[in-house]
Amino acid sequence: MEFSYFAIIIGAIFVNNVVLAQFLGICPFLGVSSKVETSLGMGAAVTFVMAIAAVVAWLIQTYVLVPLDIVYMQTIVFILVIAALVQMVEIMLKKLSPSLYQALGIFLPLITTNCAVLGVAILMIQKEFNLLQSVTYSVA
C-alpha cells in the first residue's frame, strides 16, 4: 500500500494523532505541560526518540527480524532500542542543557516506557511503511 508523504503527515497529526486520538503516551503529555519551555523540551525529546527509534526499528525489522524469521521478538527488541535511545538523549540533555534536564526530572526516563514511542514503532511496521515514510510518520 503506497501512501503519499502529505497524507501520512495529515493523518498522523489530525486523524490518528498518537496522543489525542489513540491516547498513547498521555502521562508525559499531561505531566510536563504546566510550563511552555518544559513542554517544548519534552516534546522535542520524545520526537527525537521517536524519529531515531523509527529508523532503527525499521532497519532491525527489515534486515534482522524478518530474514531470521524471529518477528515474534519485535516488541522486546523495540523496547531495548528505545531504552538505549532514551539513555542517549538523557546524556545529551545533561551535557547540553542542564536546566532542561533538571526541569524534566523523572519524566525524561519515562520516555522509555512511553507507549507512544513503542506504538509508533509497531504501527509503522504494521502499515508496511518504507524507511522515509516511517520517519515521516514518527515525526508527524
Side-chain angles (χ1 to χ4, degrees), residues 5-22 127 136-140:
Y5 296 103
F6 182 72
I8 291 171
I9 292 169
I10 295 300
I13 293 173
F14 296 114
V15 180
N16 293 318
N17 186 290
V18 175
V19 174
L20 301 176
Q22 298 176 359
K127 294 177 188 248
T136 303
Y137 179 71
S138 66
V139 171

Side-chain angles (χ1 to χ4, degrees), residues 71-98:
V71 179
Y72 59 89
M73 297 288 292
Q74 180 183 62
T75 304
I76 294 169
V77 170
F78 289 178
I79 289 172
L80 292 173
V81 165
I82 292 166
L85 291 171
V86 169
Q87 289 300 313
M88 182 183 73
V89 168
E90 192 170 359
I91 290 168
M92 287 172 42
L93 271 180
K94 192 173 186 179
K95 184 75 171 172
L96 299 174
S97 180

Side-chain angles (χ1 to χ4, degrees), residues 16-93:
N16 293 318
N17 186 290
V18 175
V19 174
L20 301 176
Q22 298 176 359
F23 299 108
L24 296 175
I26 197 90
C27 180
F29 175 71
L30 295 174
V32 297
S33 59
S34 59
K35 292 184 181 177
V36 174
E37 55 273 354
T38 309
S39 298
L40 290 174
M42 183 63 162
V46 170
T47 302
F48 178 76
V49 169
M50 264 194 216
I52 302 300
V55 171
V56 175
W58 188 88
L59 291 171
I60 289 174
Q61 178 77 15
T62 304
Y63 295 111
V64 178
L65 298 179
V66 171
L68 296 176
D69 198 28
I70 53 172
V71 179
Y72 59 89
M73 297 288 292
Q74 180 183 62
T75 304
I76 294 169
V77 170
F78 289 178
I79 289 172
L80 292 173
V81 165
I82 292 166
L85 291 171
V86 169
Q87 289 300 313
M88 182 183 73
V89 168
E90 192 170 359
I91 290 168
M92 287 172 42
L93 271 180

